[in-house]
Amino acid sequence: MSFSSKVKEELYRHVSPARHCQLAELAAIIHFSGSIGAEKKGIFLKIHAENALVVRKSFTLLQKTFNISTETQVCQEEQQTGFFCRIEDQELVLKILQGIKFLDGTGKLNAAPGGGSDGLRAPVSRLLIKNSCCQRAFLRGAFLAAGSMSDPVKGYHLEMVCSRESQARQLQEILAEFEIEGRIVQRKKYFVVYVKEGSGISDFLNVTEAHVALMEFENSRVVREVRNTVNRRVNCETANITKTVTAAARQLDDILLLQEKYGFEKLPASLRQMAEVRLEHPDAPLKELGMYLDPPVGKSGVNHRLRKLCELADAIRS
C-alpha cells in the first residue's frame, strides 16, 4: 500500500463527533466528487469516485447527518469504472444541499465567482467552515476526494486537484489559516494546490488528524535528513581531500623541478627547508608541515613559502 493510500485509510476511519464537522467534511466530498443530474422524474445527487473509501466515507457521513442509508455500487460511465452513490429522492437531495449550504436563499445553487451557476464547484459557504475544527474536517474530505501524497522516502509532495480555480483559491486560503503555504499551478484544464515543504506536509497531516501517518512521515523525514547531512559531509570531506592531494602533487612537481634545474643550495634557507620538508612528507597537510619546520611555522606561513616555491618554478618553466 502506498503512503498516500495509508493516509486516506486513516482519514476514512476518522469521523468527527460533532455534526457541524461532519457536514463540513461531507461538503468537501460532494464539492470535489459530487454532481447533480436531471431525469424525467427530477434531479438526483451522485457522488462518484475511483477510490472506494471516498464513497464509503460519504455513506457514513450521510447516515450520521441525515440518517440516509445506501449501498456501494460499481458502475461503468464514460469508460471509467468507479464507486458511486446516487440519491434520487427530491426532498432528500434538497435537504442535503441545504444542510451543506450549497443553496442560496432562493433555493438555487450558489453562484460562481463573477455570476452564474457552477454546479457544485462554486466556493463552499464560509458559514460552513468558519470554525477551525470544521476547516480541519473540510481539508480531510478534500484530500480524500481529490488529494494524493508522495512517499516521504522519495520526496515531499502533497497535492489536491481542483476543476475550478475558485476551488483551488479557497483551499489555499484554508491552508493559510493553519500557516501552511499552498501553491497553485495549472495542469491542463485542472488547478492543482500543492505543498512541497516537509514541514508543511507534516502540519497538514497534523491538521487533518492523521496522527499515525504523521509519525511515519516524521520518521522518514528524520532518516532522510540525517542521510542528506551525512552525504553532504562526505562530499565536502572528499572535495577537501581531492583539493589537498592535487595541491600537494603540484607542489612536489615544482620542488623536484627546482631541485633539478635550479638547485636547493641557491634557495633562501626558509624556502630550502620548506622544500626538503615537503619532499619528506608528501601527504601531510599544511598545518602538519609547519610543525616539522625549525622553528615551527603556522599554516599561513607554510602556504606563503610553498607559493613562493611555485612562483619560482613557474618562472623557470617560462
Side-chain angles (χ1 to χ4, degrees), residues 55-76:
V55 180
R56 289 175 185 169
K57 187 62 175 288
S58 65
F59 293 158
T60 301
L61 295 172
L62 284 169
Q63 185 176 27
K64 287 183 174 295
T65 53
F66 298 101
N67 196 28
I68 300 174
S69 299
T70 182
E71 296 180 355
T72 306
Q73 301 180 47
V74 179
C75 68
Q76 185 78 25

mmCIF file of all heavy atoms in Angstrom, residues 55-76:
data_model
loop_
_atom_site.group_PDB
_atom_site.id
_atom_site.type_symbol
_atom_site.label_atom_id
_atom_site.label_comp_id
_atom_site.label_asym_id
_atom_site.label_seq_id
_atom_site.Cartn_x
_atom_site.Cartn_y
_atom_site.Cartn_z
ATOM 1 N N VAL A 55 -16.396 7.089 -1.308
ATOM 2 C CA VAL A 55 -17.835 6.829 -1.310
ATOM 3 C C VAL A 55 -18.280 6.232 0.023
ATOM 4 O O VAL A 55 -19.331 6.584 0.552
ATOM 5 C CB VAL A 55 -18.193 5.897 -2.479
ATOM 6 C CG1 VAL A 55 -19.683 5.621 -2.503
ATOM 7 C CG2 VAL A 55 -17.754 6.521 -3.803
ATOM 8 N N ARG A 56 -17.464 5.352 0.587
ATOM 9 C CA ARG A 56 -17.824 4.771 1.880
ATOM 10 C C ARG A 56 -17.892 5.848 2.964
ATOM 11 O O ARG A 56 -18.781 5.820 3.814
ATOM 12 C CB ARG A 56 -16.799 3.699 2.264
ATOM 13 C CG ARG A 56 -16.885 2.428 1.437
ATOM 14 C CD ARG A 56 -15.762 1.489 1.792
ATOM 15 N NE ARG A 56 -15.763 0.302 0.929
ATOM 16 C CZ ARG A 56 -14.758 -0.575 0.895
ATOM 17 N NH1 ARG A 56 -13.699 -0.413 1.668
ATOM 18 N NH2 ARG A 56 -14.830 -1.612 0.092
ATOM 19 N N LYS A 57 -16.952 6.786 2.923
ATOM 20 C CA LYS A 57 -16.970 7.856 3.920
ATOM 21 C C LYS A 57 -18.203 8.743 3.727
ATOM 22 O O LYS A 57 -18.825 9.182 4.705
ATOM 23 C CB LYS A 57 -15.692 8.711 3.794
ATOM 24 C CG LYS A 57 -15.522 9.763 4.894
ATOM 25 C CD LYS A 57 -15.413 9.112 6.255
ATOM 26 C CE LYS A 57 -15.115 10.096 7.375
ATOM 27 N NZ LYS A 57 -13.759 10.617 7.358
ATOM 28 N N SER A 58 -18.578 8.983 2.466
ATOM 29 C CA SER A 58 -19.770 9.790 2.217
ATOM 30 C C SER A 58 -21.019 9.068 2.727
ATOM 31 O O SER A 58 -21.934 9.699 3.259
ATOM 32 C CB SER A 58 -19.904 10.111 0.722
ATOM 33 O OG SER A 58 -20.128 8.939 -0.043
ATOM 34 N N PHE A 59 -21.063 7.729 2.596
ATOM 35 C CA PHE A 59 -22.189 6.959 3.136
ATOM 36 C C PHE A 59 -22.277 7.146 4.647
ATOM 37 O O PHE A 59 -23.348 7.387 5.208
ATOM 38 C CB PHE A 59 -22.022 5.468 2.842
ATOM 39 C CG PHE A 59 -22.111 5.127 1.385
ATOM 40 C CD1 PHE A 59 -21.552 3.950 0.908
ATOM 41 C CD2 PHE A 59 -22.752 5.964 0.489
ATOM 42 C CE1 PHE A 59 -21.637 3.615 -0.431
ATOM 43 C CE2 PHE A 59 -22.842 5.636 -0.846
ATOM 44 C CZ PHE A 59 -22.274 4.465 -1.317
ATOM 45 N N THR A 60 -21.127 7.029 5.301
ATOM 46 C CA THR A 60 -21.087 7.178 6.761
ATOM 47 C C THR A 60 -21.577 8.556 7.183
ATOM 48 O O THR A 60 -22.383 8.690 8.119
ATOM 49 C CB THR A 60 -19.650 6.964 7.273
ATOM 50 O OG1 THR A 60 -19.203 5.666 6.909
ATOM 51 C CG2 THR A 60 -19.580 7.113 8.784
ATOM 52 N N LEU A 61 -21.101 9.583 6.480
ATOM 53 C CA LEU A 61 -21.476 10.951 6.845
ATOM 54 C C LEU A 61 -22.952 11.227 6.535
ATOM 55 O O LEU A 61 -23.630 11.920 7.302
ATOM 56 C CB LEU A 61 -20.581 11.943 6.096
ATOM 57 C CG LEU A 61 -19.093 11.890 6.473
ATOM 58 C CD1 LEU A 61 -18.275 12.769 5.557
ATOM 59 C CD2 LEU A 61 -18.883 12.294 7.926
ATOM 60 N N LEU A 62 -23.444 10.693 5.434
ATOM 61 C CA LEU A 62 -24.865 10.867 5.104
ATOM 62 C C LEU A 62 -25.750 10.209 6.149
ATOM 63 O O LEU A 62 -26.796 10.741 6.536
ATOM 64 C CB LEU A 62 -25.156 10.283 3.717
ATOM 65 C CG LEU A 62 -24.703 11.113 2.517
ATOM 66 C CD1 LEU A 62 -24.811 10.296 1.236
ATOM 67 C CD2 LEU A 62 -25.510 12.400 2.395
ATOM 68 N N GLN A 63 -25.325 9.041 6.599
ATOM 69 C CA GLN A 63 -26.124 8.327 7.595
ATOM 70 C C GLN A 63 -26.123 9.076 8.925
ATOM 71 O O GLN A 63 -27.160 9.175 9.592
ATOM 72 C CB GLN A 63 -25.570 6.918 7.788
ATOM 73 C CG GLN A 63 -26.421 6.058 8.712
ATOM 74 C CD GLN A 63 -25.900 4.639 8.797
ATOM 75 O OE1 GLN A 63 -24.717 4.402 8.617
ATOM 76 N NE2 GLN A 63 -26.779 3.686 9.067
ATOM 77 N N LYS A 64 -24.968 9.627 9.321
ATOM 78 C CA LYS A 64 -24.872 10.305 10.613
ATOM 79 C C LYS A 64 -25.545 11.679 10.595
ATOM 80 O O LYS A 64 -26.100 12.109 11.603
ATOM 81 C CB LYS A 64 -23.397 10.448 11.010
ATOM 82 C CG LYS A 64 -22.737 9.142 11.440
ATOM 83 C CD LYS A 64 -21.320 9.364 11.881
ATOM 84 C CE LYS A 64 -20.716 8.085 12.451
ATOM 85 N NZ LYS A 64 -21.397 7.642 13.697
ATOM 86 N N THR A 65 -25.482 12.380 9.461
ATOM 87 C CA THR A 65 -26.016 13.746 9.417
ATOM 88 C C THR A 65 -27.471 13.810 8.958
ATOM 89 O O THR A 65 -28.224 14.679 9.398
ATOM 90 C CB THR A 65 -25.156 14.615 8.481
ATOM 91 O OG1 THR A 65 -25.045 13.978 7.195
ATOM 92 C CG2 THR A 65 -23.758 14.823 9.058
ATOM 93 N N PHE A 66 -27.870 12.897 8.056
ATOM 94 C CA PHE A 66 -29.236 12.957 7.514
ATOM 95 C C PHE A 66 -29.980 11.637 7.649
ATOM 96 O O PHE A 66 -31.079 11.484 7.107
ATOM 97 C CB PHE A 66 -29.197 13.358 6.033
ATOM 98 C CG PHE A 66 -28.599 14.723 5.802
ATOM 99 C CD1 PHE A 66 -27.292 14.859 5.361
ATOM 100 C CD2 PHE A 66 -29.333 15.883 6.049
ATOM 101 C CE1 PHE A 66 -26.736 16.105 5.144
ATOM 102 C CE2 PHE A 66 -28.783 17.134 5.834
ATOM 103 C CZ PHE A 66 -27.484 17.253 5.393
ATOM 104 N N ASN A 67 -29.359 10.670 8.316
ATOM 105 C CA ASN A 67 -29.989 9.363 8.529
ATOM 106 C C ASN A 67 -30.370 8.697 7.206
ATOM 107 O O ASN A 67 -31.456 8.146 7.048
ATOM 108 C CB ASN A 67 -31.225 9.491 9.435
ATOM 109 C CG ASN A 67 -31.667 8.154 9.995
ATOM 110 O OD1 ASN A 67 -30.853 7.247 10.161
ATOM 111 N ND2 ASN A 67 -32.957 8.015 10.273
ATOM 112 N N ILE A 68 -29.443 8.792 6.243
ATOM 113 C CA ILE A 68 -29.666 8.202 4.919
ATOM 114 C C ILE A 68 -28.781 6.975 4.789
ATOM 115 O O ILE A 68 -27.582 7.039 5.025
ATOM 116 C CB ILE A 68 -29.321 9.198 3.799
ATOM 117 C CG1 ILE A 68 -30.209 10.446 3.923
ATOM 118 C CG2 ILE A 68 -29.477 8.555 2.426
ATOM 119 C CD1 ILE A 68 -29.834 11.539 2.952
ATOM 120 N N SER A 69 -29.336 5.845 4.413
ATOM 121 C CA SER A 69 -28.571 4.623 4.205
ATOM 122 C C SER A 69 -28.624 4.241 2.733
ATOM 123 O O SER A 69 -29.646 4.380 2.068
ATOM 124 C CB SER A 69 -29.141 3.479 5.050
ATOM 125 O OG SER A 69 -29.061 3.792 6.425
ATOM 126 N N THR A 70 -27.512 3.730 2.213
ATOM 127 C CA THR A 70 -27.448 3.279 0.819
ATOM 128 C C THR A 70 -26.352 2.239 0.716
ATOM 129 O O THR A 70 -25.730 1.868 1.706
ATOM 130 C CB THR A 70 -27.177 4.469 -0.131
ATOM 131 O OG1 THR A 70 -27.176 3.990 -1.476
ATOM 132 C CG2 THR A 70 -25.837 5.122 0.180
ATOM 133 N N GLU A 71 -26.083 1.753 -0.474
ATOM 134 C CA GLU A 71 -25.096 0.709 -0.664
ATOM 135 C C GLU A 71 -24.065 1.137 -1.704
ATOM 136 O O GLU A 71 -24.353 1.925 -2.594
ATOM 137 C CB GLU A 71 -25.765 -0.588 -1.144
ATOM 138 C CG GLU A 71 -26.730 -1.184 -0.118
ATOM 139 C CD GLU A 71 -27.365 -2.450 -0.639
ATOM 140 O OE1 GLU A 71 -27.117 -2.785 -1.826
ATOM 141 O OE2 GLU A 71 -28.094 -3.096 0.117
ATOM 142 N N THR A 72 -22.870 0.577 -1.569
ATOM 143 C CA THR A 72 -21.819 0.842 -2.546
ATOM 144 C C THR A 72 -22.133 0.101 -3.831
ATOM 145 O O THR A 72 -22.533 -1.056 -3.816
ATOM 146 C CB THR A 72 -20.457 0.368 -2.020
ATOM 147 O OG1 THR A 72 -20.234 0.974 -0.754
ATOM 148 C CG2 THR A 72 -19.341 0.733 -2.964
ATOM 149 N N GLN A 73 -21.931 0.768 -4.953
ATOM 150 C CA GLN A 73 -22.180 0.153 -6.248
ATOM 151 C C GLN A 73 -21.003 0.423 -7.175
ATOM 152 O O GLN A 73 -20.243 1.363 -6.984
ATOM 153 C CB GLN A 73 -23.453 0.712 -6.885
ATOM 154 C CG GLN A 73 -24.710 0.513 -6.034
ATOM 155 C CD GLN A 73 -25.925 1.079 -6.715
ATOM 156 O OE1 GLN A 73 -26.156 0.856 -7.889
ATOM 157 N NE2 GLN A 73 -26.696 1.844 -5.960
ATOM 158 N N VAL A 74 -20.872 -0.423 -8.174
ATOM 159 C CA VAL A 74 -19.850 -0.228 -9.197
ATOM 160 C C VAL A 74 -20.551 0.085 -10.499
ATOM 161 O O VAL A 74 -21.527 -0.564 -10.859
ATOM 162 C CB VAL A 74 -18.977 -1.488 -9.373
ATOM 163 C CG1 VAL A 74 -17.939 -1.268 -10.456
ATOM 164 C CG2 VAL A 74 -18.299 -1.834 -8.048
ATOM 165 N N CYS A 75 -20.066 1.097 -11.178
ATOM 166 C CA CYS A 75 -20.712 1.486 -12.429
ATOM 167 C C CYS A 75 -19.672 1.683 -13.513
ATOM 168 O O CYS A 75 -18.485 1.832 -13.244
ATOM 169 C CB CYS A 75 -21.519 2.775 -12.252
ATOM 170 S SG CYS A 75 -20.491 4.229 -11.944
ATOM 171 N N GLN A 76 -20.139 1.685 -14.744
ATOM 172 C CA GLN A 76 -19.291 1.937 -15.901
ATOM 173 C C GLN A 76 -19.824 3.188 -16.578
ATOM 174 O O GLN A 76 -20.889 3.164 -17.190
ATOM 175 C CB GLN A 76 -19.320 0.745 -16.866
ATOM 176 C CG GLN A 76 -18.365 0.873 -18.046
ATOM 177 C CD GLN A 76 -16.939 0.571 -17.628
ATOM 178 O OE1 GLN A 76 -16.722 -0.131 -16.662
ATOM 179 N NE2 GLN A 76 -15.973 1.105 -18.344
#
